[in-house]
């Protein structure tokens, strides 16, 4: 059905856009980690790990 195809196309497009956004966030997180010193470095590392996990979860969603 055309409606199902349209919905699936929108789903894929949304997943792709979210993946792109997470990629940019990860890049910015890496930049922040490289520029961060002292106590906040640990928190930045944790933040980057969360972004990584989110991207991995999105890959799982994409595969379903």
């Amino acid at each position: 059905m055309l409606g199902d195809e349209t919905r699936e196309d929108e789903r894929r497009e949304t997943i792709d856009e979210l993946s792109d956004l997470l990629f940019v966030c990860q890049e910015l997180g890496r930049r922040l980690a490289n520029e961060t010193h002292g106590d906040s470095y640990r928190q930045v590392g944790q933040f980057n790990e969360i972004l990584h996990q989110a991207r991995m979860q999105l890959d799982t969603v994409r595969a379903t």
Side-chain angles (χ1 to χ4, degrees):
M1 292 185 173
L2 186 58
D4 289 342
E5 284 182 31
T6 300
R7 240 179 276 155
E8 183 59 30
D9 289 344
E10 288 177 12
R11 179 183 182 275
R12 277 194 300 265
E13 183 179 340
T14 300
I15 289 170
D16 289 345
E17 289 172 353
L18 187 53
S19 180
D20 291 345
L21 182 59
L22 284 171
F23 177 79
V24 170
C25 288
Q26 284 182 290
E27 288 296 312
L28 292 171
R30 279 191 278 276
R31 187 184 330 166
L32 183 60
N34 289 337
E35 296 171 356
T36 301
H37 304 286
D39 293 338
S40 61
Y41 183 80
R42 185 170 153 246
Q43 286 81 19
V44 172
Q46 290 172 341
F47 177 70
N48 287 340
E49 179 59 30
I50 291 167
L51 289 172
H52 175 71
Q53 290 174 8
R55 201 134 178 249
M56 288 176 33
Q57 185 63 33
L58 185 60
D59 287 342
T60 300
V61 169
R62 177 183 280 133
T64 59

